[in-house]
Amino acid sequence: MLDKNGIARRIAQEVQNGQYVNLGIGIPTLVANHIPEGLDVEFQSENGILGMGPFPIEGTEDADLINAGKQTITALPGAVFFDSATSFAMIRGQHVQLTVLGAMEVSANGDIANWKIPGKMVKGMGGAMDLVASAENIVVAMMHTNRAGESKLLSTCSLPLTGVGCVKRVVTNLAVMDIKDGAFHLVERAPGVTVEEIVNATDGALILPDLVPEMSL
Amino acid sequence: MLDKNGIARRIAQEVQNGQYVNLGIGIPTLVANHIPEGLDVEFQSENGILGMGPFPIEGTEDADLINAGKQTITALPGAVFFDSATSFAMIRGQHVQLTVLGAMEVSANGDIANWKIPGKMVKGMGGAMDLVASAENIVVAMMHTNRAGESKLLSTCSLPLTGVGCVKRVVTNLAVMDIKDGAFHLVERAPGVTVEEIVNATDGALILPDLVPEMSL
Amino acid sequence: MAISKEINGVEEACKDVKDGMTFMLGGFGLCGIPENCIEELVRLGVKDVTCISNNAGVDNFGLGKLLKKSQIRKMISSYVGENEEFERQMLSGELEVDLIPQGSLAERCRAGGAGIPAFYTPAGYGTEVAEGKEVREFNGKPHVLESALTADFAFVKAWKGDASGNLIYKATSRNFNPMMAMAGKITVAEVEELVPLGSLDPNEIHTPGIFVQRIFQGKAYEKRIEQRTVSQNK
Amino acid sequence: MAISKEINGVEEACKDVKDGMTFMLGGFGLCGIPENCIEELVRLGVKDVTCISNNAGVDNFGLGKLLKKSQIRKMISSYVGENEEFERQMLSGELEVDLIPQGSLAERCRAGGAGIPAFYTPAGYGTEVAEGKEVREFNGKPHVLESALTADFAFVKAWKGDASGNLIYKATSRNFNPMMAMAGKITVAEVEELVPLGSLDPNEIHTPGIFVQRIFQGKAYEKRIEQRTVSQNK
């Protein structure tokens, strides 16, 4: 079973040379720490930076330089700042090639819910609705089940949607799943996790291949 | 009767303190030469400058610094350069308060034609269609009649339109006319020009006031 | 020759704000917010206002201050997750809230400033955000019709500015400020540094002065950091 | 870490252009046009192309060179008044021409790059430009629905650029270049000066490198002036 950093490490394998990548808040942010040396990748943060670098050395934080999670960051050589309209022009115009974001629920037809629990919690969608409606390549990073132990991979989302039919791949603490033809397709299992555990933790339709390789991390 | 510079001088009286002004090619360009000292006015050129100054001193021309008429220009202190989308955001968003442009025909209901003579001449509309569709305050600068001696102030335009019902005021070599309620309203006559001459040179419905003052230039 | 927008300070900048008006406020989180203008709006006690702002500040800073004094009737935002008082007012029904996708918010402000009354975007299709809105397919993909936003006042914060209202923002404090500057009937710019006319390079200006009606040099910027994150010194 | 777009030169930049493609070309008149790329398109003899460009060059320079060799099947422009060969080809029917308002052209390119399939504008309402297009009233004023433009290749010209594809334009040579850079499936940027990565101030960049796929330092810029106008030395 993977921890959050493990999920991030597995997702880092999805990143290809030459890609512009948008990482959401939470587990997705950790993906940046696991990009292999020598891979040319630039991180976009939708509040207005391309070429985002690591957190600043203590004492050099700049209140004017943050990411979409409101964390202080740095800018790498070749970085560029821009306004929010230009930022979403990049996203909506599909210039950002890979989007990684968290979710509360994902359905077997690729719907995603991650912004609202009616009557309980409403933080807002931020840029997530633009990201999922636009990106060609969306990877969801999340735990396979919620705190109550219920599956977050469902046949239909119960929470208000963020986007419809958009998620292509889900990486959880238990498995890598592809979504196509209205079903989850098990691709890999996390180290030490059995297919049975994954089946038990998945509510939506699940297609099992003959052989399910363990992730190599 | 006014010459082109006279028309420009009269139009300069329309310009108010604190206005952003777009001047078209031809007579309108000359208006800049007649703005009274002490009036704070900035000229916008739709190819991407605000704060346009006079032509450069010989030897200092810069091929990268032109106006919409492709003439070499200068930039005044406080000037700013921008792209064409931003330029037309200023125009379409009604941030430019006064537009002066030339015309081949103007009708008594405020239609204007200035971009095409079917089968004979097609230069294109450039920014004129955006300007006339957007500006609150449009002044047309033109000769009262064409080279064949025919009136350019008509009941209906015969040429393809640039915009409908948009022209508020016309300044010609003979007169200042306002357009409202489907008619030209004579406001002033050019020095030495009689009301009869203006009536004879105007094809569209023309309303005459009891007294027609001569322009003071 | 240049048109001057320079005024004496924040009191003159906000002198004619009125109850019930719609305001736009630049900033992302607490980054790039018009601190001086917000303080003045709190001091003036203007109420029943609609605020268009990506976020709603935190409990004791930024728009949170207006919220605490119940001056805001309606918020139009994309993300409000940092503010408990906000959540309380919203869930209790005291505060009307319109949550819209961040990219649509940015583009709707730009559209308002650019004279584009409406445009189509894929964002929000199939979600409650699209309810009651026209949906049309382009290139085989459904899109939602979104309308322009404008405001009685837009309050923006820049790094440098001149008397003409030309503005330059620093780093990611730019965010929503340029589009909101375009969309205000009256746009008030507060800047950290008001520089002499002609000292800004005309190639480097982010907001052309034509979009700004009032400008002044702000005071005592706190520039609070919401998530101070650091790397270990190597 | 930064993604490099640097290539060897104009030949590599244009190596995969094909007959029948759609090109966008930046520039206003002869100001800010991609001179090197135009020369290469002439040399390659690519034909039946559609060119989206505000103007069509002059008889012996800029796009006029492609026109003269009859390489262009269709022009999408706003103003073509400086070119006799253009007028001849258009009136004889050899050249298909789509003239559209300059602001709509700029916004349609931006929309193409920004994933906005269509938007409403007042420009052209009641004229032949609006024929066959949807008209809708907003705020009591009729608007025309205009669609996004994209291109197989966008050729843009900047003043300075870096290997990441970040671009800075000089003065009014910016014009259509930034929007076309956004709207090209492959965007080729030729620059007067290719500077080392990290030497451009990230606050001052006009076109973020994400919009650019290929960049090279151009050669032998003529930068012709169409209307050399001067003031008398005082």
Side-chain angles (χ1 to χ4, degrees), chain B residues 46-49 54-58 61-73 81-85 88 92 94 115-116 119-127 129-130 133-134 160-164, chain D residues 28-29 31 55 78-82 87 90-91 99-104 106-107 121-129 141 170-176 178-179 192 223 225-233:
Chain B
E46 65 266 27
N47 60 314
I49 178 173
F55 297 139
I57 300 295
E58 192 159 2
E61 311 94 278
D62 180 351
D64 290 326
L65 182 45
I66 63 170
N67 65 16
K70 283 96 177 177
Q71 297 172 308
T72 46
I73 52 161
F81 305 124
F82 38 83
D83 63 46
S84 303
F88 284 91
R92 216 188 294 102
Q94 304 192 327
W115 72 285
K116 186 179 184 179
K120 258 178 88 178
M121 184 281 288
V122 189
K123 293 193 182 303
M125 67 293 287
M129 282 194 182
D130 305 272
S134 308
L161 296 183
T162 307
V164 293
Chain D
F28 186 98
C31 180
N55 311 84
S78 91
Y79 191 81
V80 293
E82 286 91 358
E87 206 156 1
M90 178 172 56
L91 294 173
L99 288 170
I100 56 185
Q102 196 172 125
S104 299
E107 194 65 18
T121 174
Y125 167 72
T127 76
E128 63 180 59
V129 161
K141 193 173 164 178
K170 192 178 146 214
T172 57
S173 75
R174 196 182 317 179
N175 54 65
F176 283 83
M179 286 77 65
E192 290 183 53
K223 300 221 259 183
I225 291 175
E226 279 180 83
Q227 305 286 339
R228 190 176 299 273
T229 45
V230 295
S231 297
Q232 293 312 309
N233 213 323

Side-chain angles (χ1 to χ4, degrees), chain D residues 33 46 91 100 103 119-120 122 124 132 180 182-183 198 216 223 230-231:
Chain D
I33 60 171
V46 57
L91 294 173
I100 56 185
F119 60 90
Y120 290 92
M180 290 182 171
M182 293 168 73
F216 68 95
K223 300 221 259 183
V230 295
S231 297

Side-chain angles (χ1 to χ4, degrees), chain C residues 104-125:
Chain C
S104 299
L105 178 60
E107 193 66 19
R108 289 174 71 182
C109 293
R110 180 187 179 275
I116 291 171
F119 60 89
Y120 290 92
T121 173
Y125 167 73

Side-chain angles (χ1 to χ4, degrees), chain A residues 88-207:
Chain A
F88 284 92
M90 294 174 188
I91 289 166
R92 216 188 294 101
Q94 305 193 325
H95 305 278
V96 174
Q97 283 111 352
L98 176 64
T99 288
V100 183
L101 78 172
M104 299 192 289
E105 295 178 350
V106 172
S107 80
N109 64 335
D111 295 352
I112 176 173
N114 73 350
W115 72 284
K116 185 178 184 178
I117 304 174
K120 259 176 87 177
M121 183 282 286
V122 189
K123 293 193 183 304
M125 66 294 285
M129 282 194 183
D130 305 273
L131 281 159
V132 301
S134 308
E136 298 248 16
N137 201 0
I138 297 169
V139 176
V140 165
M142 65 177 190
M143 305 309 278
H144 212 99
T145 53
N146 64 20
R147 282 173 201 170
E150 298 157 341
S151 179
K152 297 169 72 175
L153 291 90
L154 309 170
S155 53
T156 314
C157 292
S158 66
L159 296 172
L161 296 183
T162 307
V164 295
C166 52
V167 179
K168 303 281 191 297
R169 178 161 272 206
V170 184
V171 178
T172 75
N173 51 327
L174 303 185
V176 176
M177 305 266 206
D178 279 349
I179 297 178
K180 54 186 174 194
D181 309 326
F184 296 104
H185 294 248
L186 183 56
V187 177
E188 294 172 15
R189 55 199 171 74
V193 173
T194 65
V195 170
E196 200 188 347
E197 287 175 277
I198 295 166
V199 169
N200 289 339
T202 305
D203 253 28
L206 175 60
I207 310 276

